[in-house]
C-alpha cells in the first residue's frame, strides 16, 4: 500500500481558500486517491476521489500532478464548520479481494472566525 | 444519513460484562469493516469482512469477537474488556475490491469501560 504523508495541522480563517497537500511517492499505476473528512465523535465522510489531473465537486477540488506522487485537496472559502480532520488515502484494488483501507494521522484543519 | 447504522450510540460497561455492538448497512455493499479510534489517535483497522468472510484480522485481542451473518449485518462481541479499550468504534461498508473503493461510515459507538 502506498504510504501517505500530510501535515499534522493547519490554521485558516473564514472565507479563505485552504489547500492540504498529501505526498504518496510510491503510488502505483492503478491506485486512486481518496480524501475523507472527520468531525469529532463521528465517522469519516467521503469528500472526493481522483486518479489524475483535476476533479471538482460541490464540496472541494482535488488536484493531482502528472507524476501522481502528491495530491492537493482544495476547500474554497472555508467556514467554521469546515473545522475537522482530513485524511488522504491511496486505494489499490486487489482484483476482487477487499482493500485494507488504512487511515494515517490526517490533517487537523482549524478555521478561525 | 450514510446508509450505515450503528447501535448503541453510547455504551458503558464493566470489565466483566459481555456486550455486543451492531452495524447494519442498507447500501448493498459486499464488504464491512470495524475500526477503533481512541482519543486523539488515528483510526485503527480491526476487522474486514468481504462477502461475509473475514479477510483481515489486524492482530486484535481475542476479547473482541466479530460476527458477520450476512452482507448487511456486522457485530462486534465484547467480553472482559480493559479500560484502555474505551474508544469510538466505527463500522463502515463499501463495494470492495476496486481501486476507487469508497467507505461509508456509521456514526459510531462511544464505548467506556469502567
Amino acid at each position: 500500500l502506498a504510504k501517505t504523508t500530510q501535515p499534522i495541522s493547519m490554521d485558516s480563517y473564514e472565507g479563505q481558500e485552504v489547500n492540504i497537500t498529501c505526498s504518496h511517492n510510491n503510488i502505483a499505476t492503478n491506485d486512486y486517491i481518496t480524501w475523507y473528512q472527520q468531525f469529532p465523535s463521528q465517522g469519516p465522510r467521503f469528500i472526493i476521489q481522483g486518479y489524475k489531473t483535476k476533479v471538482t465537486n460541490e464540496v472541494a477540488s482535488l488536484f493531482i500532478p502528472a507524476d501522481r506522487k502528491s495530491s492537493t485537496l482544495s476547500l474554497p472559502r472555508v467556514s467554521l464548520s469546515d473545522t475537522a480532520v482530513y485524511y488522504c488515502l491511496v486505494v489499490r484494488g486487489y482484483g476482487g479481494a477487499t482493500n485494507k483501507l488504512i487511515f494515517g494521522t490526517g490533517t487537523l484543519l482549524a478555521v478561525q472566525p | 444519513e450514510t446508509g450505515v447504522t450503528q447501535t448503541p450510540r453510547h455504551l458503558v460497561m464493566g470489565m466483566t460484562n459481555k456486550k455486543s455492538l451492531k452495524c447494519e448497512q442498507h447500501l448493498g455493499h459486499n464488504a464491512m469493516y470495524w475500526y477503533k479510534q481512541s482519543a486523539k489517535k488515528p483510526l485503527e483497522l480491526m476487522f474486514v469482512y468481504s462477502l461475509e468472510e473475514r479477510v483481515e484480522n489486524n492482530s486484535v485481542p481475542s476479547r473482541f469477537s466479530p460476527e458477520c451473518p450476512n452482507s448487511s449485518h456486522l457485530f462486534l462481541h465484547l467480553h472482559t474488556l480493559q479500560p484502555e479499550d474505551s474508544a469510538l468504534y466505527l463500522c463502515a461498508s463499501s463495494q470492495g475490491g476496486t481501486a476507487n473503493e469508497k467507505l461509508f461510515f456509521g456514526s459510531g459507538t462511544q464505548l467506556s469501560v469502567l
Side-chain angles (χ1 to χ4, degrees):
Chain A
L1 290 171
K3 185 178 184 303
T4 60
T5 303
Q6 49 184 127
I8 296 293
S9 64
M10 294 181 70
D11 293 318
S12 182
Y13 292 94
E14 283 192 289
Q16 289 187 331
E17 178 185 77
V18 171
N19 296 309
I20 306 174
T21 297
C22 178
S23 297
H24 27 80
N25 290 318
N26 60 339
I27 191 168
T29 303
N30 295 327
D31 292 349
Y32 275 71
I33 300 150
T34 309
W35 285 79
Y36 290 84
Q37 174 193 56
Q38 186 183 24
F39 298 113
S41 300
Q42 294 186 27
R45 180 179 74 108
F46 170 84
I47 302 177
I48 197 166
Q49 182 180 73
Y51 181 78
K52 62 180 180 181
T53 62
K54 177 184 174 183
V55 179
T56 297
N57 61 22
E58 65 278 5
V59 176
S61 294
L62 179 60
F63 298 92
I64 305 168
D67 66 7
R68 305 201 325 122
K69 293 184 183 300
S70 67
S71 58
T72 299
L73 174 73
S74 180
L75 304 172
R77 301 182 57 80
V78 294
S79 64
L80 296 176
S81 62
D82 292 316
T83 294
V85 178
Y86 293 83
Y87 297 96
C88 162
L89 273 74
V90 172
V91 184
R92 180 172 302 169
Y94 285 102
T98 296
N99 291 306
K100 291 195 301 181
L101 293 171
I102 308 294
F103 286 76
T105 54
T107 298
L108 173 59
L109 172 64
V111 180
Q112 315 279 352
Chain B
E1 179 56 51
T2 64
V4 180
T5 304
Q6 286 187 247
T7 55
R9 284 285 281 129
H10 301 274
L11 179 62
V12 179
M13 59 187 288
M15 289 191 285
T16 59
N17 291 156
K18 289 184 181 180
K19 297 286 185 183
S20 295
L21 310 184
K22 179 182 176 182
C23 177
E24 184 174 359
Q25 59 100 356
H26 307 276
L27 301 168
H29 288 160
N30 62 5
M32 297 189 78
Y33 304 73
W34 279 116
Y35 285 87
K36 172 187 176 183
Q37 189 171 37
S38 303
K40 299 188 188 296
K41 290 188 177 180
L43 288 87
E44 300 172 45
L45 179 62
M46 299 177 73
F47 300 104
V48 180
Y49 277 84
S50 176
L51 298 172
E52 302 148 44
E53 286 191 25
R54 191 190 303 178
V55 296
E56 178 73 18
N57 175 357
N58 220 21
S59 302
V60 178
S62 60
R63 57 186 183 268
F64 295 92
S65 175
E67 178 190 1
C68 187
N70 55 61
S71 59
S72 298
H73 294 86
L74 184 65
F75 295 90
L76 188 63
H77 303 299
L78 315 172
H79 64 96
T80 58
L81 294 191
Q82 305 298 311
E84 60 264 29
D85 296 323
S86 297
L88 180 66
Y89 288 84
L90 291 159
C91 171
S93 73
S94 71
Q95 192 58 29
T98 58
N100 59 346
E101 184 172 350
K102 300 171 191 140
L103 285 170
F104 293 78
F105 282 85
S107 297
T109 295
Q110 187 65 55
L111 173 67
S112 297
V113 181
L114 305 179

